[in-house]
């Protein structure tokens, strides 16, 4: 049933396609939980009589292109990505491998964004019939991914770069790809943050988020990635040069000279990939156009940004331009519409989607108070404070002049809530404070607010919020100069002038460092808790500790509201609640920002709290003597004796569970989205039993086993098949196949159907048995690029889980995933027979295995070197499943192959089913001497 007061907005897993959404019903004035996915689009005020009230449903504008592409990408995904290159398929499988992504799983919105870009580039043309991407009016193609602030678009950029570069490095003649990438940012803050996209940079995202599969890192480094802020694309035309008072009368740069200046080391490249971050700044200004309501500086930025790309395309060629933005709108110049959405958007995961998936904080806006509301709208005056005090805030007041009572009242309320949050955070022993940010309309207003806090002129405001050392007053002019790099190239002049300029440069850089590091432990902005700014804080501002926002400016569009609120949306914690499988809600409480078209959560709920401090896990150079290496095996080859055999007395029984096998299915026609249960039809597979006589089952089983053994069989292939038929007939007709529950044993027809439906299980069982009795040799096949790996290869990573110092492990600390593993680690570190050990967490030690016909990767729990030289692979496990048995079998084969090779010492494997048995396992192995 729909409801206006929503008890929980987070209703979807961040790792899966959204399955439901909250939809406003204009008739009932309630929000209803609606199954399915929220259509791509955006909402504007309806213009109706209720448009000034909370009841305005708004007018929904569908992004039809995105909705059509979504459905096609989904079908393409479900059919296994037909048409992609081998490298692309390997990347997609790597990105979606949940077994190795316990700590760095990609969100659904990130995977969908990159899948969409890949689909447009690599899917067969037949898949894209009817999909036409509009142009922005230029000569190169632009594709835009619309992703809400905080959903991880920088990671998608890294995935995009890896996809392009690895494909081009592997297939140099494929013109769909490039290994030269230009990333353009709107300022130095974003430019600095985007340095993680450079593969060689410290803390790059390719390593941190395991974006590149093992063995492909060297190919990634064949690419070139340069990052520029948009000012680097600037140029001086004849009009500008004419205004300059200089003796240098050289004309404007040619396109060739311009490209060499901008691209530097990449100047010789052609067919470049361009990535525009915060791409809503990069809109094409119509010729001789006067855009009403748009600042001259914004028009200049857009002109230089897009115009610079035009010049690069003319001289070198832009293969494709990828735009990323949470709000990809461009000014229209018309008062009625204000902004228009980019028409080349191909993927959309908007703010509502992000909130319902828990990817961002839930914004809570004030909707009522105990005072008399606004006489026209009946809303609380705290909803859009500026509308009630704009005359006061728009005058050029001195900083010491008092703020309007409504503003003081609002700060008292919001400040009290901030204090309660701060107390809660201290109780949780969190080292950084929650942050309140104010977005003011002009510099004079910001100065008045700063003065009011410094001199405690706000009634009932907490003293903590008034500490000048923890207040950051952002001087917008100084910050703009720091952002643009205006001080970067100041030349040497006379001493007094140089001193003055350097002082301002240092001031700007200090301000930018504090702004960039708010909420980061050990950084200049660590203790900042009160931020006062003019206009909006810069994009790319990555503070995750914002809990309160005060809006004291005009908000003429929902775009402005979303951009301001976006500064406080980033979550502090990304730990999934094990009970719900969802993220727990976090909140940002908002006064003065009239964010209308969003279902607001209004119940009192758990407080926002930052993520627990992260611990870096890495190899410790001081414990180099405990490094463990292992052979990097990609597969195992087998050679068989000319005469196969199968010892029926030694072969283990195979149990087939009838309860896990589907033989009957009921179907019903769907009418109006509901199944019509009056017209059920059924499929009975038992009716096909007559077509599956025992001999047919024997022959099909033999054929499947033959296909597996044939590549390594040295003798006559016909001889092999005849031997297999004889062996398998003996097995099928024996009592070695058990059907559970036992009463199905008596039903021959049922038995044949169950064996047929479990054919892959029968084949794996038989191949293992044949190998045990007929294998002549076993040969490991190593990874050519890296045949040996070690604990020293681990890429440093971070965890919020409990950790413990390790004495005999090359890794600095062991991550404790369970009490059982903690006990095992304790015992290994203190066992006199253990020389070295490591938990196999992010080490890259994996063993391929097959289960139900699908290749998986098995990562055993511990690697151990004993003092007698033996090496032990230890798994911690309680009750075993069939899948676990398949893992163990693969592990045993791996150990057998390594020992047969003889070049890596003697290896053993064991399973600990109780913490107490570890010492027994080690003692038994230490009783024998390695060969």
């Amino acid at each position: 049933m729909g409801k206006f007061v929503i008890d929980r907005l987070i209703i979807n897993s961040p790792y899966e396609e959204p399955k439901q959404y909250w939809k406003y019903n204009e008739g009932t004035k309630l929000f209803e939980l609606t199954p399915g996915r929220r259509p791509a689009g955006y909402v504007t005020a309806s213009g109706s009589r209720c448009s000034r009230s909370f009841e305005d449903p708004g007018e929904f504008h569908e992004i039809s292109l995105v909705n059509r592409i979504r459905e096609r990408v989904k079908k393409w995904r479900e059919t296994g990505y037909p048409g992609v290159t081998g490298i692309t398929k390997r990347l997609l499988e790597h990105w979606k491998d949940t077994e190795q992504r316990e700590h760095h799983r990609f969100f659904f919105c990130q995977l969908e964004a990159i899948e969409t870009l890949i689909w447009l580039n690599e899917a067969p043309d037949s898949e894209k019939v009817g999909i036409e991407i509009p142009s922005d009016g230029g000569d190169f193609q632009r594709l835009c991914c619309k992703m809400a602030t905080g959903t991880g678009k920088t990671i998608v950029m890294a995935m995009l770069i890896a996809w392009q570069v690895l494909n081009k490095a592997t297939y140099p003649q494929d013109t769909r790809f490039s290994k030269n990438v230009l990333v353009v940012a709107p300022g130095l803050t974003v430019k600095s943050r985007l340095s993680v996209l450079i593969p060689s940079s410290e803390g790059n995202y390719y390593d941190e988020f395991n974006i590149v599969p093992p063995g492909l890192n060297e190919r990634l480094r064949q690419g070139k990635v340069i990052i520029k802020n948009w000012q680097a694309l600037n140029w001086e035309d004849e009009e500008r040069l004419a205004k300059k008072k200089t003796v240098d009368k050289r004309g404007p740069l040619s396109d060739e000279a311009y490209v060499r200046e901008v691209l530097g080391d990449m100047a010789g490249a052609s067919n470049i990939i361009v990535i525009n971050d915060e791409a809503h700044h990069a809109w094409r200004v119509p010729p001789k156009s006067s855009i009403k309501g748009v600042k001259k500086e914004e028009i200049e930025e857009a002109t230089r940004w897009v115009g610079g790309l035009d010049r690069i395309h003319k001289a070198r060629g832009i293969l494709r331009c990828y735009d990323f933005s949470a709000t990809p709108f461009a000014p229209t110049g018309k008062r009625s519409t204000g902004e228009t959405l980019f028409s080349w958007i191909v993927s959309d995961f908007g703010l509502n989607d992000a909130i319902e998936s828990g990817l961002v904080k839930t914004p809570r806006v004030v909707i009522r108070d105990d005072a008399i509301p606004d006489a026209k709208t009946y809303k609380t005056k705290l909803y859009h404070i500026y509308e009630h005090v704009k005359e006061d805030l728009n005058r050029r007041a001195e900083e010491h002049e008092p703020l309007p009572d409504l503003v003081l009242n609002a700060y008292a309320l919001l400040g009290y809530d901030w204090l309660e949050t701060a107390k809660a955070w201290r109780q949780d022993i969190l080292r950084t404070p929650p942050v309140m940010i104010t977005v003011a309309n002009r510099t004079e207003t910001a100065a008045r607010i700063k003065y009011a806090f410094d001199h405690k002129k706000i009634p009932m405001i907490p003293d903590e919020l008034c500490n000048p050392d923890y207040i950051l007053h952002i001087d917008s002019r100084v910050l703009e100069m720091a952002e643009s790099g205006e001080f970067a190239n100041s030349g040497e002049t006379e001493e007094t002038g140089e001193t003055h300029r350097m002082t301002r440069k240092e001031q700007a850089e200090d301000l930018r460092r504090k702004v960039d590091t708010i909420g980061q432990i050990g950084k200049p902005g660590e203790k900042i808790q009160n931020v006062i700014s003019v206009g909006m804080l810069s994009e790319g501002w990555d503070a995750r500790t914002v809990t309160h926002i005060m809006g004291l400016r005009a908000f003429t569009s929902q775009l402005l509201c979303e951009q301001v609120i976006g500064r406080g949306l980033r979550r502090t914690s990304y730990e999934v609640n094990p009970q719900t499988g969802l993220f727990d809600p976090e909140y940002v409480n908002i006064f003065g920002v009239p964010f209308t078209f969003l279902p607001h959560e209004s119940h009192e709920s758990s407080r926002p709290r930052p993520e627990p401090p992260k611990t870096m896990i890495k190899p410790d150079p001081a414990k180099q003597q405990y490094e463990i290496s292992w052979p990097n095996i990609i597969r195992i080859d087998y050679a068989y004796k000319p005469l196969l055999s199968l010892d029926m007395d030694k072969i283990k029984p195979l149990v087939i569970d009838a309860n896990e096998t589907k033989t009957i299915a009921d179907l019903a026609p769907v009418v109006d989205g509901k199944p019509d249960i009056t017209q059920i039809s059924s499929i009975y597979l038992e009716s096909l039993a007559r077509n599956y006589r025992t001999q047919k089952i024997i022959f099909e089983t033999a054929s499947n086993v033959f296909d597996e053994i044939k590549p390594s069989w040295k003798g006559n292939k016909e001889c092999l098949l005849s031997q297999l038929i004889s062996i398998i007939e003996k097995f099928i007709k024996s009592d070695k196949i058990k059907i559970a529950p036992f009463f199905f044993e008596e039903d021959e027809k049922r038995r044949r159907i169950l064996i047929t439906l479990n054919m892959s299980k029968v084949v794996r069982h038989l191949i293992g048995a044949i190998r045990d009795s007929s294998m002549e040799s076993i040969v490991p096949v190593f990874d050519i690029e890296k045949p040996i790996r070690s604990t020293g290869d681990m890429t440093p990573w971070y965890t919020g889980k409990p950790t413990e110092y390790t004495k005999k492990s090359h890794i600095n600390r062991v991550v404790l995933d369970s009490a059982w593993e903690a006990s095992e680690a304790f015992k290994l570190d203190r066992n006199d027979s253990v020389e070295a050990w490591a938990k196999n967490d992010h080490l890259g030690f994996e063993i391929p295995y097959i289960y139900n016909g699908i290749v998986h990767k098995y990562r055993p729990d511990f690697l151990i070197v004993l003092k007698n030289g033996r090496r032990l692979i230890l798994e911690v496990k309680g009750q075993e499943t069939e899948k676990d048995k398949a893992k163990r079998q693969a592990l045993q084969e791996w150990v057998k192959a390594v020992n047969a090779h003889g070049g890596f010492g003697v290896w053993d494997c064991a399973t600990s089913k109780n913490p107490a048995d570890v010492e027994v396992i080690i003692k038994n192995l230490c009783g024998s001497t390695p060969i």
Side-chain angles (χ1 to χ4, degrees):
M1 180 177 177
K3 44 190 172 181
F4 184 75
V5 179
I6 300 172
D7 55 0
R8 184 179 179 90
L9 273 176
I10 300 176
I11 52 177
N12 292 310
S13 166
Y15 304 112
E16 298 173 4
E17 183 177 15
K19 296 180 174 62
Q20 52 192 344
Y21 64 99
W22 291 108
K23 183 178 181 180
Y24 184 75
N25 186 312
E26 185 179 3
T28 62
K29 302 296 188 287
L30 299 171
F31 285 104
E32 298 175 350
L33 192 58
T34 305
R37 184 157 182 199
R38 180 185 297 278
Y42 63 102
V43 179
T44 59
S46 66
S48 63
R49 287 184 299 173
C50 64
S51 63
R52 287 182 172 269
S53 75
F54 285 110
E55 294 181 350
D56 180 19
E59 184 177 347
F60 180 74
H61 304 271
E62 180 188 10
I63 310 177
S64 57
L65 177 62
V66 170
N67 288 322
R68 283 186 283 127
I69 289 175
R70 270 184 187 173
E71 289 302 312
R72 300 200 189 185
V73 171
K74 182 177 181 178
K75 292 178 182 177
W76 178 69
R77 179 193 307 130
E78 292 171 348
T79 53
Y81 307 107
V84 300
T85 68
I87 285 292
T88 300
K89 188 68 176 291
R90 188 172 172 185
L91 282 169
L92 288 165
E93 290 174 349
H94 178 67
W95 294 336
K96 298 178 76 173
D97 185 352
T98 56
E99 287 191 23
Q100 68 167 327
R101 293 195 175 277
E102 179 184 354
H103 303 283
H104 287 312
R105 287 183 65 185
F106 295 125
F107 301 137
F108 170 81
C109 62
Q110 294 171 325
L111 289 170
E112 184 183 59
I114 191 64
E115 283 174 340
T116 300
L117 300 181
I118 292 172
W119 179 80
L120 288 166
N121 199 41
E122 294 191 53
D125 290 340
S126 59
E127 299 261 7
K128 295 175 282 189
V129 173
I131 300 295
E132 298 291 336
I133 312 298
S135 169
D136 78 327
D139 295 329
F140 55 88
Q141 187 182 48
R142 295 177 70 177
L143 301 173
C144 178
C145 288
K146 180 174 174 285
M147 299 180 69
T149 299
T151 54
K153 58 185 171 66
T154 307
I155 291 176
V156 179
M157 294 180 200
M159 298 164 86
L160 190 160
I161 292 170
W163 162 58
Q164 281 284 327
V165 171
L166 291 176
N167 269 290
K168 191 63 177 179
T170 306
Y171 316 110
Q173 305 304 315
D174 197 328
T175 58
R176 296 174 299 176
F177 304 102
S178 174
K179 57 183 178 181
N180 297 291
V181 182
L182 167 65
V183 183
V184 187
L188 289 181
T189 292
V190 180
K191 178 176 181 287
S192 175
R193 180 174 58 80
L194 293 179
S195 64
V196 295
L197 298 177
I198 300 174
S200 59
S201 68
E202 184 178 352
N204 71 80
Y205 273 12
Y206 310 95
D207 292 337
E208 183 173 348
F209 292 97
N210 192 16
I211 287 174
V212 178
L216 294 181
N217 284 290
E218 290 302 317
R219 287 189 221 178
L220 179 66
R221 294 188 179 93
Q222 293 180 32
K224 287 185 178 179
V225 180
I226 61 172
I227 303 171
K228 301 282 185 178
N229 57 327
W230 75 267
Q231 290 88 351
L233 299 182
N234 211 344
W235 73 91
E236 294 184 322
D237 53 22
E238 291 182 354
E239 182 180 348
R240 280 189 170 190
L241 289 171
K243 293 179 180 179
K244 291 184 70 174
K245 296 179 181 180
T246 175
V247 296
D248 186 356
K249 296 301 180 182
R250 287 178 295 180
L253 292 175
S254 67
D255 289 337
E256 178 65 25
Y258 171 80
V259 165
R260 292 190 177 279
E261 182 177 283
V262 171
L263 296 185
D265 293 341
M266 210 169 75
S270 60
N271 290 330
I272 297 166
I273 289 293
V274 173
I275 297 175
N276 290 327
D277 194 16
E278 308 295 352
H280 50 273
H281 293 281
W283 45 277
R284 194 172 291 278
V285 180
K288 298 179 181 179
S289 174
S290 175
I291 306 294
K292 297 179 181 179
V294 182
K295 293 180 181 179
K296 180 181 178 181
E297 295 82 7
E298 294 177 14
I299 297 175
E300 177 70 6
E301 177 181 359
T303 300
R304 298 296 167 179
W305 190 324
V306 177
L309 296 181
D310 284 340
R311 297 189 72 176
I312 293 172
H313 179 62
K314 185 177 179 180
R316 292 292 182 268
I318 292 177
L319 179 61
R320 195 165 289 106
C321 178
Y322 295 101
D323 293 340
F324 290 86
S325 172
T327 53
F329 290 79
T332 62
K334 301 177 183 178
R335 292 185 180 274
S336 60
T337 54
E339 304 97 9
T340 182
L341 201 66
F342 284 2
S343 60
W344 53 94
I345 296 173
V346 296
S347 175
D348 178 27
F349 202 85
L351 180 55
N352 282 313
D353 302 300
I355 291 171
E356 289 166 348
S357 296
L359 293 175
V360 296
K361 290 191 178 87
T362 297
R364 294 195 289 203
V365 299
V366 58
I367 58 173
R368 59 186 176 188
D369 59 55
D370 55 353
I372 298 174
D374 178 75
K376 294 181 180 179
T377 65
Y378 304 108
K379 296 177 183 178
T380 168
K381 293 178 182 178
L382 299 174
Y383 182 68
H384 194 182
I385 298 171
Y386 176 82
E387 282 295 305
H388 304 282
V389 295
K390 56 186 176 184
E391 288 188 21
D392 188 302
L393 296 188
N394 273 325
R395 63 190 178 90
R396 293 191 176 183
E398 296 292 328
E399 66 176 17
H400 61 269
E401 293 187 48
L403 293 165
D405 287 344
L406 179 61
V407 175
L408 296 174
N409 194 175
Y411 270 123
L413 290 166
L414 203 60
Y416 174 80
D417 193 65
W418 176 91
L419 181 60
E420 292 301 303
T421 302
K423 289 178 181 177
W425 284 23
R426 282 196 295 270
Q427 288 175 3
D428 293 333
I429 319 177
L430 300 172
R431 293 170 57 185
T432 56
V435 175
M436 175 192 290
I437 62 175
T438 296
V439 180
N441 63 324
R442 58 190 297 159
T443 55
E444 291 87 352
T445 302
R448 291 168 71 187
I449 295 168
K450 178 67 164 61
Y451 183 92
F453 275 102
D454 285 348
H455 296 83
K456 299 182 181 179
K457 297 295 184 180
I458 303 173
M460 301 178 67
I461 199 73
D463 287 345
E464 291 178 62
L465 270 176
C466 299
N467 187 332
D469 293 337
Y470 304 145
I471 298 176
L472 186 63
H473 177 203
I474 297 179
D475 182 327
S476 56
R477 173 56 186 157
V478 173
L479 187 60
E480 284 172 11
M481 289 189 287
E483 278 289 289
S484 64
E486 202 167 314
F487 297 119
N489 298 312
S490 55
E492 291 185 4
T493 58
E494 59 183 348
E495 185 177 348
T496 54
E498 176 64 5
T499 301
H500 175 70
R501 271 205 296 267
M502 287 302 294
T503 300
R504 295 201 64 194
K505 176 182 178 180
E506 290 170 359
Q507 178 188 359
E509 286 302 314
D510 180 68
L511 177 62
R512 191 166 71 85
R513 280 194 297 270
K514 286 184 177 178
V515 171
D516 291 354
T517 59
I518 288 173
Q520 298 181 26
I521 296 173
K523 300 295 180 63
E526 175 183 358
K527 298 299 184 181
I528 297 298
Q529 57 195 22
N530 191 349
V531 179
I532 303 165
S533 68
V534 178
M536 288 178 294
L537 291 158
S538 65
E539 287 130 331
W541 192 55
D542 203 20
R544 300 197 296 172
T545 51
V546 175
T547 55
H548 297 79
I549 297 177
M550 177 72 79
L552 295 175
R553 60 157 292 166
F555 290 94
T556 56
S557 70
Q558 289 298 296
L559 168 60
L560 283 174
C561 294
E562 184 166 341
Q563 288 177 334
V564 170
I565 290 176
R567 306 286 75 81
L569 288 178
R570 297 184 187 276
R571 290 181 62 93
T572 59
S573 173
Y574 293 88
E575 300 291 335
V576 171
N577 185 314
Q579 277 72 47
T580 65
L582 307 175
F583 285 152
D584 285 331
E586 294 183 5
Y587 303 97
V588 55
N589 294 340
I590 303 162
F591 279 25
V593 183
F595 201 69
T596 304
F597 305 111
L598 180 76
H600 307 295
E601 190 164 328
S602 60
H603 77 295
E604 293 296 323
S605 186
S606 58
R607 58 184 178 258
R609 60 180 68 202
E611 194 172 10
K614 294 284 189 181
T615 302
M616 177 185 280
I617 308 299
K618 63 177 182 178
D620 186 347
K623 298 193 292 179
Q624 183 73 38
Q625 70 267 35
Y626 300 117
E627 183 175 16
I628 299 176
S629 62
W630 62 88
N632 192 14
I633 297 173
I634 57 175
R635 74 171 189 275
I636 296 172
D637 286 345
Y638 302 88
Y640 294 89
K641 298 174 183 177
L643 186 62
L644 299 179
S645 63
L646 187 64
D647 190 334
M648 295 300 294
D649 293 330
K650 292 183 179 180
I651 189 171
K652 296 179 181 178
L654 172 64
V655 179
I656 296 175
D657 191 345
N659 293 321
E660 295 181 358
T661 307
K662 302 168 184 66
T663 61
I664 303 175
D666 287 343
L667 296 87
V670 176
V671 181
D672 195 24
K674 303 290 191 299
D676 182 359
I677 60 174
T678 66
Q679 300 185 54
I680 289 178
S681 60
S682 299
I683 299 174
Y684 293 92
L685 290 182
E686 288 190 15
S687 63
L688 300 176
R690 62 179 178 271
N691 297 326
Y692 279 85
R693 304 293 182 187
T694 302
Q695 280 306 119
K696 184 172 183 178
I697 294 172
I698 292 169
F699 186 81
E700 288 192 2
T701 305
S703 178
N704 289 330
V705 175
F706 174 80
D707 290 339
E708 291 249 4
I709 294 178
K710 180 174 61 175
S712 55
W713 181 259
K714 297 178 181 179
N716 182 277
K717 298 298 189 289
E718 288 76 13
C719 177
L720 170 63
L721 182 58
S722 64
Q723 288 189 71
L724 288 174
I725 290 174
S726 175
I727 289 172
I728 292 169
E729 180 175 14
K730 188 177 180 181
F731 175 76
I732 294 292
K733 292 182 176 180
S734 73
D735 60 355
K736 292 295 182 178
I737 298 180
K738 305 292 185 182
I739 307 295
F742 72 94
F743 50 80
F744 284 122
E745 288 279 0
E746 306 303 321
D747 187 339
E748 179 60 28
K749 182 172 66 173
R750 180 80 166 174
R751 187 175 188 273
R752 294 201 307 271
I753 287 295
L754 290 172
I755 292 174
T756 302
L757 293 175
N758 288 274
M759 182 72 72
S760 63
K761 186 179 293 185
V762 175
V763 168
R764 301 312 317 166
H765 192 80
L766 278 166
I767 288 176
I770 292 171
R771 283 175 183 165
D772 288 342
S773 57
S774 304
M775 186 176 65
E776 190 171 68
S777 64
I778 181 170
V779 181
V781 180
F782 304 101
D783 187 312
I784 297 176
E785 295 186 7
K786 197 169 185 65
I788 298 175
R789 295 180 65 89
S790 79
T791 49
D793 295 327
M794 175 199 272
T795 301
W797 58 284
Y798 293 84
T799 182
K801 294 182 177 181
T803 64
E804 185 69 52
Y805 173 77
T806 60
K807 180 183 178 182
K808 296 182 180 180
S809 175
H810 188 199
I811 310 305
N812 62 332
R813 301 183 72 86
V814 62
V815 180
L816 305 178
D817 291 307
S818 67
W820 191 342
E821 281 193 358
S823 176
E824 302 274 8
F826 179 87
K827 293 177 184 298
L828 291 174
D829 226 14
R830 289 155 180 80
N831 193 301
D832 292 337
S833 298
V834 173
E835 182 72 25
W837 67 276
K839 183 180 177 183
N840 186 26
D841 193 353
H842 287 69
L843 291 184
F845 176 52
E846 31 186 55
I847 297 172
Y849 72 100
I850 298 175
Y851 179 69
N852 284 345
I854 301 172
V855 177
H856 301 270
K857 292 177 181 177
Y858 169 41
R859 301 172 182 91
D861 292 321
F862 292 100
L863 290 174
I864 304 166
V865 177
L866 301 178
K867 287 193 174 179
N868 68 348
R870 300 186 86 96
R871 292 171 182 252
L872 170 64
I873 303 171
L874 182 67
E875 178 72 7
V876 176
K877 195 70 179 178
Q879 187 175 358
E880 276 197 337
T881 64
E882 290 300 317
K883 191 173 184 179
D884 292 326
K885 292 177 182 177
K887 292 179 182 179
R888 303 295 176 272
Q889 179 65 32
L891 175 57
Q892 290 167 7
E893 292 294 312
W894 188 95
V895 168
K896 189 184 295 183
V898 172
N899 288 337
H901 181 277
F904 302 96
V906 177
W907 289 71
D908 294 282
C909 60
T911 301
S912 170
K913 297 185 177 181
N914 187 297
D917 65 13
V918 175
E919 294 179 352
V920 176
I921 292 171
I922 292 174
K923 184 177 181 180
N924 290 339
L925 290 175
C926 288
S928 54
T929 304
I931 300 171

